[in-house]
Amino acid sequence: MSFLSLETALVERLKAMLPPDVHVLTAADLAGVAEGSQPTPAVHVVYGGYRVVEANSGFSTIEQTWYAVVTVRNVRAVKSGAGARNEADALLDAVYAALAAYKPPNARPLAITNASKPQTTAGFMYFPLAFNSTITMRTAAC
């Protein structure tokens, strides 16, 4: 298992479970893409850091946080964000259904956790869902 292998599993799961018109993108996919030209609707899979649960001479147990950021663009009612929230609602439900309790290979099942509040910019709205999972990494023998 590699440190960031959950990214591939999450992307594959979302692509399999979401409608085909939803773009599932990683940080690498978004590198160099101007906000105004990013595809929507989309889910951005973003690594959110880790916490060491246990470490000893043979292995480390690491809890990772991954964000599935539902991204929509809707210029109707930009000030209130009502149009974008309406568009995002069904996609948020679908992402939650796809990832909540999903068990990636070689990891513990995902558990939803606290996320930051939604962000709005130029007609785009970003709704983060955060999930934790735990992986075990073997350490090299000394």
Side-chain angles (χ1 to χ4, degrees), residues 4-136:
L4 297 176
S5 62
L6 286 179
E7 180 181 66
T8 301
L10 297 178
V11 167
E12 289 173 357
R13 173 76 172 182
L14 288 168
K15 285 182 176 181
M17 300 293 291
L18 297 178
D21 66 322
V22 175
H23 304 271
V24 179
L25 306 168
T26 65
D29 297 325
L30 294 166
V33 175
E35 182 178 42
S37 40
Q38 69 179 320
T40 59
V43 178
H44 301 170
V45 176
V46 181
Y47 175 66
Y50 71 94
R51 175 180 75 85
V52 176
V53 176
E54 180 181 356
N56 65 38
S57 62
F59 69 92
S60 297
T61 303
I62 301 164
E63 180 184 72
Q64 293 184 338
T65 301
W66 288 87
Y67 293 96
V69 184
V70 170
T71 305
V72 295
R73 182 169 193 241
N74 190 315
V75 294
R76 286 181 286 129
V78 171
K79 189 171 184 174
S80 71
R85 280 195 313 280
N86 289 339
E87 188 175 328
D89 192 37
L91 186 51
L92 283 162
D93 290 347
V95 170
Y96 176 80
L99 296 182
Y102 165 62
K103 185 187 177 319
N106 302 312
R108 292 208 179 120
L110 296 176
I112 195 160
T113 190
N114 297 326
S116 58
K117 67 180 184 173
Q119 300 292 315
T120 305
T121 174
F124 287 90
M125 284 195 82
Y126 303 91
F127 298 87
L129 293 172
F131 297 90
N132 288 338
S133 184
T134 304
I135 63 170
T136 300

